[in-house]
Amino acid sequence: MNAVDLEARIPNNVGLKDDKKLLRALEQWQPRFLDWWREMGPSDFREDQIYLRTAVGVGQGGWANFDYVKMPDYRWGIFLAEPEPEKKIHFGDKLGDPVWDAVPGEHRNVLRRIIVTQADTEPASVEQQRLLGHTAPSLYDLRNVFQVNVEEGRHLWAMVYLLHKYFGADGRDEAEELLRRRSGHADNPRILQAFNKPTPDWLSFFCFTSFTDRDGKYQLAALAESGFYPLARSTQFMLTEEAHHLSVGENGVGRVVERTAQLMKEGTDPRTVGAIPLDIIQKYVYEWSSASYDLFGGEDSSNAATYFGAGLKGRYREGDGLYRDPKALEQAYTTQVAEGTALRTLEIPLRRAMNALLLEAYYADCKRIVDRWNRTLKRYDVAAEVKLPSLRFNRQQGIHAGKWYDPEGNPIAQAEFEKRRTTWFPSAEDYATVKSCMKKVYEPGKIANWIAPPAQGINNNPFEWEYVKFH
Amino acid sequence: MSDARPRLVYVCEGGDCSEKGSVELHNDLKEMLKTADPDGKLKLRKYPCFGGCEHGINLALFPDKVFLSKLKKEDLPRVCDFVCGKSPVPAGHTGIVAKDVEQIVWDLLDTGF
Ligand code: FES
Ligand SMILES: [Fe+2]
Ligand SMILES: [Fe+2]
């Protein structure tokens, strides 16, 4: 294990100073990253002091520091989780072999693709969120979006390190491309569709961090099992930061729900006071959750089988020993798919169903957060509930693509789907309603009328704390 | 669930629990287990968030399906004895989060594969 070097131009615990060639390459990439950050990172706020968490290492004695930082001065570093001694591959055909510390030649292209796909989401989300600061509902929220942004930037660093260190000239080219693609760009978009969707308002942002970032968590968790050990250790560390992003989303939507519930209990129509009605929140949930289901890829996938068999990507918490058959050769995964307006059973050999398994674990997690929002509604005596749509609903990828279901997952005719579309997804008018609520509130301790304050602040500070000091 | 499978101790490192010191609690427990569980029969793991955030710090023992809430640093000796099978479930820490929250945790860990 290398020592943590925090003084270096690029803070790291990967022994960069002993690998001159790599260090030079990354130091050349660094100014281009900063150019990208200035162009595509949060618009404005460059000179302001933001109360941010910075990763400073791994293991004992805390892993992060909190302090006021100007965002362009943020110390983006490269950190890998501590290695376990004599680590073995714990699933797939290579079960029991030592993990790889270099890229096995036969998996080079596949691994590169996996890493690039993950890496591309990191800058993409920063681009999607770049204007949100101008309409933040409180200083606390303003700080949170910036925290998420700088950490997505660090995740990009984590992946670019792998590309530079292990993939030679190809890896360096990919690292350049990561700074060139742009979220939502017509000719040069980001790789995955949900990362090209606009995030025009804070409810979208909270839905994004609840549902889309959560896909990221499950992808990272599957890669954290990888036999390619530098990738596993890198994603393990990223997961520590990711937990906060997810709680920003979960608590964010939760606070919007709470505010709406308070108003409903008082008998006030949220629309009349610049808050967001429950039916619009529901539409956002339908929209963002179903778009995020697609990020898992096809439920029946030969690629997924290859990744698993080769030991590149495991199941959720595979290393905890939760599964009976670490080779996943014996069982089948059973699901249901529409045939006309009925459902029929579909059996997929387990290895080919790895995406479906990961998606199911993700779904249980989403269910947990939606249930939590519903407990809030109940607390305010609101009878209505927020519903999480079925995994079959509104899919563009996988076995349900091109089929039509209602949010409960019942097969319906296409015409029926089209007819009910506006009752399920936000209309232009709904977006306008939400937009009209988005007014910045920059005074410490104050908050916009469409969202409740958080139960607690950051790092034991109260909500009223001055999380952003304007210059 | 076959007996060959390990016993897992999951400590929440989600936003709320880590604010209450769960990462330190995890690290301290890790140290204690070095002597209390020298053969490493238990696996200590971090868990991203159980959804019982308002009642943290939360810990789950699996496959035993025991969910402990409202843990503090001073509870650690009792928790350590309990997870090592040396003492009964520490009183006052179970049944605090909603049943469905607990159930989702077990569903997620009970993979069926
Ligand atoms: S933060 Fe620990 S249960 Fe959610
Ligand atoms: Fe990320
Ligand atoms: Fe994230």
Side-chain angles (χ1 to χ4, degrees):
Chain A
M1 178 82 191
N2 288 294
V4 181
D5 184 354
L6 291 179
E7 303 311 314
R9 205 165 120 192
I10 303 166
N12 71 92
N13 72 347
V14 296
L16 269 190
K17 68 175 178 348
D18 303 322
D19 188 341
K20 292 282 180 274
K21 203 172 142 210
L22 177 63
L23 179 63
R24 241 190 339 266
L26 287 170
E27 283 184 350
Q28 277 168 17
W29 189 79
Q30 190 177 38
R32 288 200 280 283
F33 168 81
L34 288 170
D35 286 346
W36 166 81
W37 179 268
R38 277 185 218 105
E39 188 193 330
M40 294 312 295
S43 109
D44 298 322
F45 307 99
R46 256 175 238 163
E47 296 301 319
D48 302 320
Q49 300 279 351
I50 325 284
Y51 188 69
L52 290 176
R53 169 178 88 175
T54 304
V56 291
V58 284
Q60 248 89 71
W63 60 275
N65 255 346
F66 283 88
D67 210 345
Y68 286 98
V69 199
K70 289 187 196 171
M71 277 188 282
D73 299 338
Y74 190 76
R75 302 280 288 152
W76 284 282
I78 301 167
F79 299 105
L80 267 54
E82 280 176 87
E84 281 173 44
E86 290 171 50
K87 180 79 179 154
K88 303 272 192 293
I89 298 174
H90 51 272
F91 62 93
D93 298 332
K94 301 274 163 51
L95 182 72
D97 284 7
V99 291
W100 309 299
D101 283 316
V103 180
E106 72 268 37
H107 301 317
R108 196 181 169 82
N109 288 342
V110 169
L111 265 174
R112 196 181 78 204
R113 191 164 78 222
I114 291 174
I115 292 171
V116 167
T117 307
Q118 176 61 43
D120 193 64
T121 65
E122 314 289 356
S125 64
V126 176
E127 293 167 358
Q128 287 170 297
Q129 295 157 16
R130 67 185 302 265
L131 295 176
L132 290 173
H134 297 288
T135 54
S138 73
L139 284 189
Y140 163 90
D141 291 287
L142 184 61
R143 172 262 170 220
N144 276 349
V145 69
F146 293 154
Q147 181 71 63
V148 170
N149 293 160
V150 292
E151 284 175 347
E152 302 304 5
R154 204 204 66 75
H155 294 173
L156 175 60
W157 270 98
M159 296 290 105
V160 162
Y161 161 75
L162 296 176
L163 290 169
H164 270 255
K165 179 159 169 95
Y166 296 99
F167 296 88
D170 293 348
R172 290 193 291 277
D173 289 348
E174 295 284 13
E176 296 303 316
E177 283 306 310
L178 286 166
L179 297 178
R180 247 177 247 141
R181 282 186 288 273
R182 291 286 181 269
S183 176
H185 194 283
D187 305 321
N188 197 18
R190 292 293 172 184
I191 297 170
L192 298 170
Q193 204 30 50
F195 290 86
N196 288 306
K197 270 165 78 76
T199 313
D201 56 64
W202 280 76
L203 186 55
S204 298
F205 169 64
F206 291 139
C207 286
F208 176 95
T209 34
S210 289
F211 296 111
T212 311
D213 247 3
R214 195 171 305 275
D215 154 73
K217 163 181 150 183
Y218 281 83
Q219 300 303 330
L220 292 175
L223 296 174
E225 307 292 338
S226 184
F228 177 43
Y229 209 30
L231 174 61
R233 290 169 55 209
S234 194
T235 46
Q236 281 161 20
F237 190 78
M238 289 158 75
L239 279 166
T240 329
E241 289 161 315
E242 207 57 53
H244 172 69
H245 307 183
L246 304 184
S247 71
V248 166
E250 176 176 341
N251 294 337
V253 178
R255 290 159 54 211
V256 181
V257 167
E258 179 170 4
R259 181 64 189 135
T260 299
Q262 280 169 354
L263 291 165
M264 288 169 80
K265 185 171 180 169
E266 283 169 14
T268 309
D269 177 356
R271 284 174 203 271
T272 60
V273 292
I276 305 174
L278 202 54
D279 62 302
I280 296 187
I281 300 174
Q282 177 67 71
K283 289 176 180 176
Y284 271 62
V285 167
Y286 281 157
E287 165 92 28
W288 281 95
S289 58
S290 61
S292 304
Y293 300 162
D294 274 337
L295 291 169
F296 286 78
E299 286 84 349
D300 182 358
S301 161
S302 58
N303 276 344
T306 308
Y307 298 170
F308 182 85
L312 303 177
K313 197 173 169 186
R315 286 170 287 189
Y316 184 61
R317 296 196 165 273
E318 183 92 46
D320 291 359
L322 297 169
Y323 300 89
R324 283 176 183 81
D325 173 16
K327 296 199 169 195
L329 284 171
E330 270 143 41
Q331 288 161 294
Y333 172 86
T334 312
T335 186
Q336 293 199 301
V337 65
E339 196 162 75
T341 49
L343 286 170
R344 78 175 162 88
T345 300
L346 181 70
E347 271 211 354
I348 306 171
L350 193 54
R351 270 200 188 184
R352 298 178 58 98
M354 288 301 158
N355 292 338
L357 283 190
L358 197 62
L359 178 56
E360 267 194 6
Y362 164 87
Y363 190 75
D365 201 8
C366 292
K367 185 91 181 41
R368 174 186 64 73
I369 64 172
V370 173
D371 287 349
R372 195 172 161 212
W373 301 336
N374 285 331
R375 284 201 297 279
T376 301
L377 287 170
K378 221 168 164 184
R379 202 153 29 97
Y380 287 92
D381 305 320
V382 174
E385 291 202 324
V386 177
K387 282 185 266 166
L388 183 68
S390 155
L391 286 174
R392 299 193 275 266
F393 179 62
N394 190 35
R395 297 293 303 277
Q396 322 295 322
Q397 301 280 332
I399 53 176
H400 303 296
K403 299 181 187 286
W404 310 94
Y405 303 89
D406 66 14
E408 284 72 41
N410 303 309
I412 53 173
Q414 181 176 359
E416 172 80 3
F417 186 94
E418 293 306 338
K419 204 169 87 201
R420 293 171 67 184
R421 182 182 282 279
T422 51
T423 66
W424 291 330
F425 302 106
S427 62
E429 202 186 325
D430 295 329
Y431 281 118
T433 301
V434 175
K435 194 172 171 210
S436 71
C437 304
M438 301 291 126
K439 304 221 170 64
K440 70 174 180 211
V441 178
Y442 288 169
E443 220 180 302
K446 295 272 161 62
I447 190 155
N449 201 32
W450 55 271
I451 185 167
Q456 51 196 342
I458 296 294
N459 198 29
N460 292 321
N461 296 303
F463 166 67
E464 295 76 17
W465 179 262
E466 195 176 2
Y467 289 101
V468 176
K469 291 184 179 163
F470 296 104
H471 75 285
Chain B
M1 176 78 37
S2 78
D3 288 332
R5 280 200 260 177
R7 276 175 99 200
L8 292 147
V9 183
Y10 289 109
V11 177
C12 178
E13 61 161 350
D16 289 348
C17 288
S18 60
E19 293 262 303
K20 293 174 190 149
S22 70
V23 177
E24 293 74 15
L25 190 125
H26 168 275
N27 292 346
D28 292 349
L29 185 56
K30 191 171 167 187
E31 282 307 308
M32 293 171 89
L33 287 174
K34 281 183 187 159
T35 36
D37 175 40
D39 312 328
K41 289 201 198 79
L42 289 168
K43 281 192 181 183
L44 179 65
R45 293 281 186 269
K46 292 180 195 160
Y47 198 96
C49 169
F50 295 118
C53 318
E54 50 277 57
H55 307 297
I57 297 172
N58 292 315
L59 176 153
L61 183 65
F62 190 81
D64 310 57
K65 302 195 182 179
V66 179
F67 196 92
L68 303 179
S69 306
K70 294 202 184 301
L71 292 176
K72 296 209 175 67
K73 199 179 162 71
E74 51 270 30
D75 301 315
L76 264 187
R78 283 191 305 152
V79 170
C80 183
D81 282 353
F82 164 63
V83 296
C84 293
K86 290 178 201 143
S87 70
V89 183
H93 294 281
T94 53
I96 295 173
V97 299
K99 268 275 150 280
D100 54 331
V101 170
E102 234 183 81
Q103 195 51 47
I104 285 179
V105 175
W106 310 138
D107 289 350
L108 208 55
L109 295 173
D110 222 340
T111 62
F113 290 105

